């Protein structure tokens, strides 16, 4: 038996009752970091690549992020917003701009070095790292790294066991292989924008770069699979992961509707093309998402919320097929009822009813959600330049514990001396490389 307490959300305009399980079990032990001892050479920038390498770092891999010498990852300059600088920030980093919130979001648990590998001495540094690494992840345009002697064939000669993951816009082959990959462009080109937005409005992009994030997740999974393959074969693998194919796969049932039945996708706003009612509805003072996905749920909703026990037996609404055919009439009826009361009124009535629902929370309300605190989804870390900063915790637990955030996101070139020393460079050699702006 577990002790339970009923509490209410303290988030503004959200008072749904929830149950918190305080538990009486022994403290869970989590799982040892499975990638401890794995070294990852990270040649990626922006979002898709850094997402994949951050997930590897979360699992214990030593991720060495190689950045351009003067500016670093593009997202370092994407501010405001940025973290405020601490009064006791390291003097050697005083010339750097503030730490952008964007960069901080996807670079925890990594080390940062800066190397100009267009120079022979810089290329030698990367070659040394390739020889010592288990995984290399890059997101340059197809064929670009080969021009510097860092392509798959080049690196395989240096390290036959290397997992080489290429993240591009459109893949290593085909007529678009040389095209750069941008989330918003691929959202447009691979069908996502066409099905996003209101029916009578223009196509819309999703609020976050979901194609980049999905590609990072696919790449992360592929790298884990390649590491398992290497255990069996002793050989490295070249992974070809790209935004276009990730987004195509992400069309899910919309893609299947077209391939199986020739049915073109369309925009439905927050509504579902095949289920009614299943969308956002306005209330007197806000919005609420309701998803009555079957006849039983619709009956409960009609009787308890709408006060219309006649609707479930009305031939126009008695089945989901009928409700889809008479969508507009039913949506108008529901809207008329819900706009008579405030959002909290309907949240209270829907809680425990058995009809899926959720308030439309803004970001502040989302982070004030009691589940965020109960699940410890915010982690505070000490950053050497910004002091205490808050990050979203890793999304997965193992035996009840999350992998730790062992390192805050690094400032630019924070670990260059450290990594080069590990590679066998002397202090004098490092100073000379810095003087030449190789590092």
């Amino acid at each position: 038996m577990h002790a339970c307490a009923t509490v209410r959300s303290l988030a503004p305009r959200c008072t749904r009752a929830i149950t918190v399980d305080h538990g009486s079990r022994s403290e869970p032990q989590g799982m040892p970091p499975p990638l401890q001892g794995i070294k990852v050479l990270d040649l990626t920038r922006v979002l898709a690549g850094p997402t994949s390498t951050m997930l590897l770092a979360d699992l214990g891999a030593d991720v060495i992020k190689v950045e351009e010498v003067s500016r670093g990852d593009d997202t370092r300059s994407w501010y405001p917003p940025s973290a405020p600088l601490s009064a006791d920030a390291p003097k050697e980093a005083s010339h750097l701009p503030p730490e952008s919130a964007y960069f901080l979001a996807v670079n925890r648990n990594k080390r940062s070095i800066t190397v100009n590998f267009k120079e022979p001495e810089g290329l030698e540094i990367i070659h040394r790292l390739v020889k010592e690494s288990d995984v290399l992840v890059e997101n340059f345009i197809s064929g670009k790294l080969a021009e510097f002697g860092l392509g798959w064939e080049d690196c395989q000669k240096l390290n036959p066991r290397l997992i080489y993951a290429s993240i591009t816009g459109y893949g290593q082959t085909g007529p678009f292989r040389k095209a750069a990959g941008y989330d918003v462009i691929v959202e447009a080109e691979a069908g996502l924008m066409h099905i996003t937005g209101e029916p009578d409005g223009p196509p819309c992009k999703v609020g976050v770069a979901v194609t980049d994030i999905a590609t990072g997740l696919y790449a992360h999974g592929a790298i884990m699979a390649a590491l398992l393959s290497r255990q069996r074969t002793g050989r490295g693998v070249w992974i070809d992961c790209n935004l276009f194919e990730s987004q195509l796969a992400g069309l899910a049932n919309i893609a299947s509707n077209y391939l199986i039945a020739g049915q073109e996708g369309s925009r439905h706003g927050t509504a579902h093309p095949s289920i009614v009612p299943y969308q956002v509805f306005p209330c007197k003072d806000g919005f609420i998402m309701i998803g009555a996905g079957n006849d039983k749920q619709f009956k409960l909703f009609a009787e308890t919320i709408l006060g219309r026990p006649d609707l479930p037996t009305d031939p126009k609404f008695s089945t989901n097929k009928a409700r889809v055919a008479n969508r507009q009439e039913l949506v108008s009826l529901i809207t008329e009822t819900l706009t008579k009361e405030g959002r909290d009124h309907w949240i209270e009535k829907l809680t425990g009813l058995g009809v899926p629902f959720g308030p439309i929370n803004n970001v502040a309300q989302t982070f004030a959600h009691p589940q965020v605190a109960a699940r410890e989804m915010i982690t505070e870390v000490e950053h050497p330049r910004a002091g205490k900063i808050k990050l979203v915790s890793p999304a997965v637990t193992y035996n009840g514990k999350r992998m730790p955030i062992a390192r805050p996101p690094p400032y630019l070139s924070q670990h260059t001396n450290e990594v080069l020393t590990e590679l066998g460079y002397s202090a004098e050699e490092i100073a000379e490389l810095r003087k030449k702006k190789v590092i």
Side-chain angles (χ1 to χ4, degrees):
M1 295 289 290
H2 302 302
C4 297
T6 298
V7 300
R8 289 186 180 274
S9 167
L10 299 180
R13 299 160 60 83
C14 177
T15 57
R16 177 160 39 154
I18 67 161
T19 300
V20 175
D21 186 350
H22 297 291
S24 57
R25 293 166 293 182
S26 59
E27 186 71 15
Q29 297 303 307
M31 178 179 76
L35 296 186
Q36 204 157 43
I38 296 294
K39 181 171 285 189
V40 177
L41 181 55
D42 182 2
L43 302 180
T44 70
R45 300 91 66 208
V46 189
L47 185 55
T51 295
S52 69
T53 55
M54 178 179 70
L55 296 174
L56 298 171
D58 287 346
L59 294 174
D62 177 14
V63 175
I64 299 173
K65 183 179 179 72
V66 179
E67 303 188 62
E68 191 273 337
V69 172
S70 60
R71 300 182 305 276
D73 189 311
D74 297 18
T75 62
R76 288 190 181 275
S77 64
W78 292 0
Y79 64 89
S82 61
L85 292 177
S86 172
D88 56 354
K91 291 181 180 179
E92 63 267 23
S94 60
H95 65 288
L96 297 175
E99 302 294 320
S100 81
Y102 200 121
F103 179 87
L104 295 173
V106 287
N107 287 286
R108 62 179 180 248
N109 283 329
K110 303 178 186 179
R111 295 196 283 173
S112 168
I113 69 173
T114 51
V115 180
N116 179 6
F117 53 78
K118 294 179 182 178
E119 297 293 334
E121 298 100 321
L123 183 60
E124 172 59 25
I125 293 170
I126 303 301
H127 279 170
R128 289 198 196 184
L129 284 168
V130 167
K131 292 175 183 177
E132 294 192 358
S133 295
D134 298 280
V135 180
L136 182 153
V137 190
E138 58 93 6
N139 64 348
F140 288 76
I141 291 173
S142 177
K144 190 66 178 177
L145 280 184
E147 297 175 10
F148 300 111
L150 289 171
W152 155 245
E153 292 84 0
D154 306 301
C155 291
Q156 191 185 36
K157 290 174 184 176
L158 294 170
N159 181 356
R161 289 174 53 83
L162 183 71
I163 310 298
Y164 189 105
S166 296
I167 300 174
T168 58
Y170 299 87
Q172 298 296 317
T173 59
F176 280 70
R177 66 187 181 278
K178 295 292 186 181
Y182 296 93
D183 174 277
V184 70
I185 304 301
V186 174
E187 278 192 44
E189 202 163 10
L192 183 58
M193 275 196 192
H194 175 71
I195 59 172
T196 305
E198 292 299 323
D200 57 350
C204 291
K205 76 178 186 70
V206 181
V208 294
V210 292
T211 304
D212 272 343
I213 295 168
T215 305
L217 290 167
Y218 273 116
H220 161 253
I223 291 165
M224 298 295 285
L227 286 168
L228 289 172
S229 173
R230 191 182 69 174
Q231 282 187 332
R232 297 179 180 179
T233 68
R235 298 191 301 272
V237 177
W238 187 13
I239 294 168
D240 179 359
C241 188
N242 63 83
L243 274 64
F244 189 74
E245 290 171 23
S246 296
Q247 182 49 66
L248 207 64
L251 291 178
N253 60 298
I254 303 300
S256 188
N257 289 349
Y258 176 76
L259 294 174
I260 301 302
Q263 180 179 315
E264 180 57 80
S266 55
R267 292 187 288 283
H268 294 268
T270 62
H272 195 289
S274 306
I275 307 172
V276 178
Y278 205 95
Q279 66 182 75
V280 170
F281 290 95
C283 305
K284 193 174 184 178
D285 61 354
F287 296 90
I288 191 167
M289 177 71 200
I290 293 171
N294 58 48
D295 293 342
K296 180 181 177 182
Q297 291 172 348
F298 178 69
K299 185 174 185 292
L300 287 169
F301 181 70
E303 292 175 349
T304 307
I305 303 302
L306 302 180
R308 292 289 303 273
D310 58 302
L311 293 181
T313 57
D314 187 325
K316 291 189 294 184
F317 310 121
S318 58
T319 66
N320 181 67
K321 183 178 180 180
R323 292 192 291 274
V324 171
N326 295 282
R327 177 191 300 267
Q328 193 53 55
E329 183 178 350
L330 183 56
V331 167
S332 296
L333 190 154
I334 295 170
T335 299
E336 182 181 356
T337 299
L338 295 185
T339 50
K340 291 177 181 177
E341 299 287 349
R343 191 179 75 161
D344 286 357
H345 170 84
W346 298 118
I347 288 172
E348 188 171 346
K349 292 203 71 172
L350 283 159
T351 297
L353 182 62
V355 176
F357 77 100
I360 307 301
N361 288 333
N362 62 26
V363 177
Q365 290 168 337
T366 297
F367 279 106
H369 197 292
Q371 192 72 0
V372 173
R375 297 281 297 178
E376 298 181 342
M377 274 304 298
I378 300 172
T379 298
E380 192 172 74
V381 298
E382 188 74 29
H383 190 279
R385 296 190 71 221
K388 290 187 184 300
I389 61 171
K390 293 179 180 178
L391 303 174
V392 177
S393 305
V396 180
T397 62
Y398 304 87
N399 294 332
K401 287 286 188 180
R402 299 183 195 279
M403 289 292 163
I405 299 181
R407 295 178 182 271
Y411 64 78
L412 184 63
S413 197
Q414 181 178 345
H415 304 97
T416 300
N417 286 10
E418 176 180 296
V419 172
L420 264 61
T421 299
E422 292 171 2
L423 289 174
Y425 286 88
S426 67
E428 292 75 21
E429 289 172 321
I430 293 172
E432 184 64 22
L433 288 168
R434 199 175 293 281
K435 182 179 178 182
K436 293 179 178 180
K437 300 189 185 302
V438 174
I439 60 173

